[in-house]
């Protein structure tokens, strides 16, 4: 009973830590300077430090900056954007149902997803990696995961990779969000979290986890992030053009330098938007 109480306390504390990680808040590029009355509803995550995080001042991070820039080029002022929090496994259905107009949420472009929705991009290339407790010397890469409990969010390419490559060798723990995975790792109920290195670096850099958790640093997949749209959306070409300008203008690098580089993550060269 005492162990269960301790784990519950750790999980509750972890929730506070993530909610309060605005001690090192992500940076926002602010207003996109567009004018007019056009509106957009954009699906995002709200619990990814440096990438897409809800703070006291609103939403901020690299994905949020990306969405805000694109919205501006579509003629939608920042104040007219409705930010819709969605879980990882809701990204496709949120588009097909019309719940959101765009999804900007570390959304990897895959052939399977392109059967149901459209993508514009890529605007970033990440690599699946592992987050572990700093003092764990038994995990040195994906080849040392046998017998381990590995957490991943439902509806992601990360969990697809784990189940297809390590079935029967590891226990895959599926939860709705990455912040829940990280809380479980810190509490000791799972052995590792596996997703994109960009996401993991953000969590590892949160003050409460710095020195507690670490990223292995051996990426083993290529994840090309795109902006999701409903099939047939006639704004797709405009979104692609906006992403090209986002990169060429220097705004892409500025956002990454402000939100991601402080974690120690090495900012890669931008991909070619197709």
């Amino acid at each position: 009973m005492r162990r269960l109480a301790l784990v519950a306390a750790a999980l509750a504390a972890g929730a506070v830590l993530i909610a309060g990680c605005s001690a090192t808040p992500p940076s926002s590029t602010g207003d996109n300077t567009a004018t007019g009355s056009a509106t957009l509803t954009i699906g995002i995550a709200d619990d990814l430090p440096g990438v897409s995080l809800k703070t006291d001042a609103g939403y901020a991070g690299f994905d949020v900056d990306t969405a805000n820039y694109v919205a501006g080029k579509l003629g939608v002022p920042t104040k007219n954007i409705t930010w819709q929090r969605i879980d990882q496994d809701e990204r496709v259905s949120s588009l097909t149902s019309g719940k959101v107009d765009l999804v900007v949420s570390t959304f990897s472009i895959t052939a399977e997803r392109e059967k149901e929705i459209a993508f514009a991009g890529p605007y970033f290339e990440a690599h699946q990696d592992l987050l572990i407790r700093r003092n764990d010397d038994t995990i040195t890469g994906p080849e040392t995961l046998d017998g381990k409990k590995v957490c991943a969010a439902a509806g992601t390419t990360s969990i697809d990779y784990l189940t297809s490559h390590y079935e029967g060798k590891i226990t895959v723990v599926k939860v709705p969000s990455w912040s829940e995975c990280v809380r479980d790792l810190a509490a000791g109920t799972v052995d590792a979290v596996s997703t994109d290195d960009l996401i993991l670096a953000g969590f590892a850099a949160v003050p409460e986890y710095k020195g507690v958790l670490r990223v292995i640093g051996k990426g083993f997949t290529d994840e090309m992030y795109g902006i999701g749209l409903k099939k047939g959306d006639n704004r797709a070409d405009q979104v692609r053009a906006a992403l090209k300008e986002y990169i060429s203008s220097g705004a892409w690098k500025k956002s990454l330098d402000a939100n991601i580089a402080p974690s120690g993550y090495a900012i890669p060269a931008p991909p070619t938007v197709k």
Side-chain angles (χ1 to χ4, degrees):
M1 288 295 291
R2 176 174 172 75
R3 184 177 184 280
L4 288 175
L6 288 172
V7 169
L11 290 172
V16 172
L17 297 181
I18 290 298
C21 64
S22 54
T24 54
S27 173
S28 172
T29 54
D31 191 87
N32 63 24
T33 72
T35 59
S37 59
T39 63
L40 273 177
T41 299
I42 304 179
I44 56 170
D46 70 351
D47 61 349
L48 304 182
V51 180
S52 188
L53 185 70
K54 191 176 190 305
T55 71
D56 293 340
Y59 294 93
F62 173 59
D63 267 357
V64 176
D65 284 348
T66 303
N68 187 34
Y69 188 96
V70 169
K73 295 303 174 182
L74 294 178
V76 179
T78 301
K79 64 183 177 66
N80 289 357
I81 299 172
T82 298
W83 301 106
Q84 177 66 54
R85 179 206 173 275
I86 53 176
D87 285 332
Q88 300 289 289
D89 63 353
E90 296 177 316
R91 292 175 295 185
V92 170
S93 63
S94 292
L95 287 166
T96 57
S97 69
K99 180 179 181 180
V100 301
D101 300 302
L102 306 176
V103 168
V104 188
S105 183
T106 62
F107 204 6
S108 295
I109 301 170
T110 69
E112 192 64 26
R113 287 171 175 163
E114 286 182 312
K115 294 176 182 177
E116 297 185 73
I117 62 168
F119 279 104
Y123 65 89
F124 192 83
E125 180 179 3
H127 308 281
Q128 188 166 347
D129 211 320
L130 295 166
L131 184 70
I132 62 172
R133 289 181 289 277
R134 179 163 290 278
N135 61 357
D136 187 343
D137 58 6
T138 67
I139 301 175
T140 57
E143 70 281 354
T144 58
L145 289 175
D146 287 13
K148 303 292 187 180
K149 289 184 178 180
V150 184
C151 190
T156 62
T157 55
S158 303
I159 202 163
D160 291 343
Y161 184 91
L162 292 173
T163 53
S164 64
H165 286 75
Y166 301 102
E167 186 175 6
K169 296 180 180 179
I170 67 174
T171 299
V172 177
V173 179
K174 181 170 63 174
V175 299
S177 68
W178 293 116
S179 58
E180 187 172 342
C181 271
V182 175
R183 293 198 296 269
D184 288 350
L185 177 62
T189 57
V190 299
D191 300 301
V193 176
S194 185
T195 188
D196 305 343
D197 50 7
L198 181 73
I199 296 171
L200 298 179
F203 280 112
V206 172
E208 291 81 1
Y209 291 137
K210 199 168 185 177
V212 177
L213 306 177
R214 63 184 174 93
V215 182
I216 292 290
K218 294 182 179 179
F220 45 90
T221 68
D222 297 328
E223 305 295 333
M224 307 301 286
Y225 291 171
I227 292 181
L229 306 93
K230 192 172 186 177
K231 269 190 178 296
D233 192 320
N234 58 15
R235 293 169 292 193
D237 287 341
Q238 289 177 276
V239 174
R240 291 187 190 93
L243 286 175
K244 290 177 181 178
E245 186 176 329
Y246 181 50
I247 292 170
S248 65
S249 69
W252 180 89
K253 180 70 160 49
K254 181 180 178 181
S255 178
L256 287 167
D257 283 344
N259 291 296
I260 304 301
S263 72
Y265 184 93
I267 305 302
T272 299
V273 179
K274 299 174 182 178

